[in-house]
Amino acid sequence: MTEEEMRKRLEILKIEHRDLDAAIDALNAAGAGDQLQIARLKKRKLKLKDQISLIADYLIPDIIA
């Protein structure tokens, strides 16, 4: 995967992460009693966060000065 492809993938993941956050907020605000659905969305959101972190760490390596 090229760096450009990784940057595009990173943006897609960030958008999906924000969308899941909005969906979770909407379900909570609506008082939806489907806690299982909310838990699944939160789990998916955490997986996305891990993927975002992996790609971001690769693109922006830690430099010890």
Side-chain angles (χ1 to χ4, degrees):
M1 185 179 280
T2 67
E3 186 174 325
E4 184 63 29
E5 290 172 334
M6 290 179 84
R7 290 187 189 283
K8 287 179 183 177
R9 177 75 177 145
L10 183 62
E11 284 304 312
I12 291 168
L13 292 173
K14 285 181 178 181
I15 291 168
E16 189 175 347
H17 188 268
R18 281 191 299 262
D19 290 347
L20 281 174
D21 197 31
I24 291 167
D25 288 343
L27 284 173
N28 282 328
D34 192 1
Q35 293 301 316
L36 183 60
Q37 176 72 16
I38 293 171
R40 287 180 178 154
L41 291 175
K42 287 182 177 181
K43 187 174 182 179
R44 174 70 181 141
K45 188 177 160 192
L46 285 173
K47 286 182 181 179
L48 286 174
K49 185 177 179 183
D50 289 342
Q51 291 176 351
I52 290 168
S53 294
L54 276 173
I55 294 173
D57 287 346
Y58 181 80
L59 292 173
I60 308 167
D62 290 338
I63 299 174
I64 300 173

